[in-house]
Amino acid sequence: MANKRILKKQIKLVCESLLTESIAQSLYDSVDMANVEALLYSILKTQSEYLCRVSHVEPGMKAKQYFNCLFKDFDNDISSIVDQINNLH
């Protein structure tokens, strides 16, 4: 398992990249700004949620199992956000 600090940095970098891509998409294409704002909010909410989950491991669960579940959930949420960015057109 990676250091928690490194893991938090990676989560922040991924979410920062998604924010940047969303903003760029909204500037270059004519899209509904309400959709863009909702998407930006969901990215920030996802970042906050996973940063908290890294800091506070669930009691009673083995660390390896917990972080494997965290990675899987994060991957699924990020894939969903990427699909939403692609469908902004």
Side-chain angles (χ1 to χ4, degrees), residues 1-18 47 50-51 54 70-71 74 78:
M1 180 183 81
N3 189 333
K4 287 183 181 181
R5 181 177 33 126
I6 294 171
L7 185 56
K8 285 181 180 183
K9 283 183 181 180
Q10 290 175 342
I11 290 171
K12 288 178 184 177
L13 285 173
V14 168
C15 291
E16 181 181 306
S17 297
L18 291 173
Q47 177 182 343
Y50 283 97
L51 290 177
V54 168
L70 181 108
F71 294 145
F74 184 70
I78 294 303

Side-chain angles (χ1 to χ4, degrees), residues 35-49:
N35 291 340
V36 174
E37 289 175 6
L39 182 60
L40 295 176
Y41 176 75
S42 73
I43 293 169
L44 292 174
K45 183 178 171 188
T46 301
Q47 177 182 343
S48 176
E49 175 188 343

Side-chain angles (χ1 to χ4, degrees), residues 49-66:
E49 175 188 343
Y50 283 97
L51 290 177
C52 288
R53 284 180 66 182
V54 168
S55 297
H56 304 290
V57 178
E58 287 186 26
M61 199 173 195
K62 293 182 180 180
K64 185 174 182 175
Q65 180 186 8
Y66 177 77

